[in-house]
């Protein structure tokens, strides 16, 4: 019953918060990845395509929601510098798993262009005034947090992507609203749990 309800919500949200489908022209396997189980797997194939289609510079990238580093390593293939921000304690959707900052830092040690910061996004966005070429939002999948963090990320980057637009209707709604309220273009890649793209 609960599953049926959540499926119906997804269908309703897909219709109500319609996002134009992103169509990759070319899929590329990045040179460097790490062997981990991650709901992000599969999306690494379209990151270069997104950067090319929207003509994004490859200077700096910021990621909110690093966890064990799968997506951060994917970005490290393309950007000079990747800044990763996470509380490194998990959340109600990705599981509360205790402090794993040291574990992630050690696992990503060989990727010298990734810098990790143990911080709540709320504290981070108060103090960071930089502009980034690219941003990724993959934190707790509630509307309020995704909207707040995502709005900051969209305002501080040329292109911002959001994971879980298909698996979490509230992420899709937040992406829809951010695009509407900033007047930016928005796309959705409906595979691997969904990737919203705001440019
Ligand atoms: C789905 S995981 C990220 C997965 C990762 N992008 C990957 O490639 O596998 C979500 C992460 O967001 C972090 N997170 C949740 N709420 C946060 C917040 N308020 N500020 C910073 N990080 C947060 C969690 O600690 C968790 O590691």
């Amino acid at each position: 019953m609960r599953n049926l309800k959540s499926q119906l919500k997804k269908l309703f949200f897909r219709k109500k918060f319609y996002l134009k489908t992103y169509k990759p022209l070319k899929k590329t396997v990045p040179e460097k990845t790490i062997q981990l189980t991650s709901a992000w797997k599969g999306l690494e194939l379209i990151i270069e395509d997104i950067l090319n289609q929207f003509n994004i510079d490859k200077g700096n990238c910021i990621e909110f929601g690093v966890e064990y580093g799968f997506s951060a390593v994917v970005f490290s293939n393309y950007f000079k510098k990747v800044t990763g921000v996470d509380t490194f304690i998990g959340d109600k959707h990705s599981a509360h798993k205790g402090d794993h900052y040291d574990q992630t830092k050690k696992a990503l040690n060989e990727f010298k262009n990734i810098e990790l910061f143990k911080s709540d996004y709320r504290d981070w966005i108060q103090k960071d005034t930089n502009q980034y070429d690219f941003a990724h939002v993959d934190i707790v999948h509630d509307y309020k947090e995704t909207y707040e963090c995502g709005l900051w990320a969209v305002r501080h980057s040329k292109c911002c992507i959001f994971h879980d637009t298909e698996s979490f209707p509230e992420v899709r709604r937040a992406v829809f609203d951010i695009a509407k309220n900033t007047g930016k273009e928005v796309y959705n890649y409906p595979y691997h749990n969904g990737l919203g793209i705001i440019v």
Side-chain angles (χ1 to χ4, degrees):
M1 188 64 181
R2 211 166 150 220
N3 198 25
L4 179 68
K5 252 184 156 176
S6 109
Q7 287 307 323
L8 284 173
K9 185 174 177 184
K10 278 181 195 167
L11 283 174
F12 176 75
F13 269 50
R14 264 181 217 145
K15 237 184 145 149
K16 182 160 183 199
F17 304 107
Y18 171 76
L19 304 172
K20 192 169 157 188
T21 300
Y22 180 75
K23 295 196 177 94
L25 300 174
K26 187 179 166 209
K27 293 188 179 172
T28 313
V29 181
E31 198 184 315
K32 299 173 282 178
T33 51
I34 44 171
Q35 295 309 314
L36 280 180
T37 309
S38 168
W40 220 83
K41 228 170 202 153
L43 293 172
E44 71 278 10
L45 302 177
I46 66 157
I47 298 307
E48 188 168 310
D49 188 83
I50 293 172
L51 302 180
N52 289 340
Q53 284 206 42
F54 298 119
N55 216 3
I56 305 300
D57 289 341
K58 295 179 179 164
N60 56 356
C61 161
I62 186 159
E63 168 167 89
F64 295 98
V66 179
E67 200 180 37
Y68 298 114
F70 185 85
S71 48
V73 170
V74 171
F75 301 136
S76 78
N77 286 273
Y78 303 112
F79 295 96
K80 280 201 187 89
K81 173 90 196 279
V82 177
T83 300
V85 179
D86 198 306
T87 55
F88 293 103
I89 55 169
D91 57 64
K92 67 180 176 187
H93 297 130
S94 64
H96 295 282
K97 39 199 168 300
D99 193 336
H100 56 281
Y101 171 76
D102 288 339
Q103 182 187 342
T104 304
K105 197 165 164 50
K106 198 170 162 207
L108 303 193
N109 193 35
E110 66 184 278
F111 307 101
K112 300 295 178 205
N113 57 342
I114 302 179
E115 193 172 7
L116 300 180
F117 294 88
K118 184 171 168 53
S119 168
D120 193 294
Y121 82 83
R122 295 175 189 87
D123 301 321
W124 186 272
I125 66 176
Q126 295 302 318
K127 60 175 180 61
D128 187 359
T129 55
N130 291 315
Q131 284 293 323
Y132 295 85
D133 293 310
F134 195 75
H136 175 223
V137 175
D138 190 12
I139 54 168
V140 68
H141 296 315
D142 284 338
Y143 179 86
K144 183 179 180 293
E145 286 81 355
T146 304
Y147 186 89
E148 187 176 54
C149 181
L151 183 63
W152 183 92
V154 165
R155 286 183 172 150
H156 289 81
S157 69
K158 291 182 202 120
C159 176
C160 181
I161 61 174
F162 296 76
H163 190 220
D164 282 316
T165 47
E166 293 293 329
S167 43
F168 287 86
E170 294 298 337
V171 172
R172 187 188 191 95
R173 183 162 74 95
V175 168
F176 181 94
D177 284 352
I178 293 168
K180 192 173 83 181
N181 295 339
T182 55
K184 296 231 176 188
E185 275 182 61
V186 61
Y187 300 85
N188 182 56
Y189 184 63
Y191 304 104
H192 314 297
N193 299 301
L195 193 74
I197 305 163
I198 297 185
V199 277

